[in-house]
């Protein structure tokens, strides 16, 4: 999980980041569903990653 989030944050290409985002989002949702991470943490990560993607380009 951490590596996927790091990889997405390190991406500077908007198209590539947009391709990676759904997979990372799905992973975070699964981890929150199985109580590996808290649901709010997953939500905060998804929000910050989408903000990062929108600022690219």
């Amino acid at each position: 999980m951490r590596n996927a989030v790091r990889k997405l944050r390190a991406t500077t290409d908007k198209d590539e980041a947009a391709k990676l985002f759904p997979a990372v989002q799905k992973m975070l949702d699964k981890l929150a569903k199985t109580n590996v991470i808290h649901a709010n943490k997953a939500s905060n990560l998804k929000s910050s990653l989408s903000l990062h993607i929108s600022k690219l380009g």
Side-chain angles (χ1 to χ4, degrees):
M1 187 240 355
R2 289 183 190 160
N3 289 335
V5 172
R6 282 186 198 139
K7 185 177 179 183
L8 185 56
R9 282 201 176 124
T11 305
T12 57
D13 182 32
K14 189 170 186 168
D15 294 332
E16 187 177 338
K19 287 180 185 177
L20 288 173
F21 185 63
V24 174
Q25 191 173 15
K26 185 176 179 181
M27 181 191 322
L28 290 171
D29 286 336
K30 281 185 179 181
L31 290 172
K33 184 179 180 183
T34 57
N35 292 323
V36 175
I37 60 173
H38 197 275
N40 290 349
K41 181 173 178 67
S43 179
N44 288 336
L45 282 170
K46 291 189 292 184
S47 175
S48 67
L49 289 173
S50 66
L51 187 63
H52 169 73
I53 291 172
S54 69
K55 287 182 179 179
L56 289 175

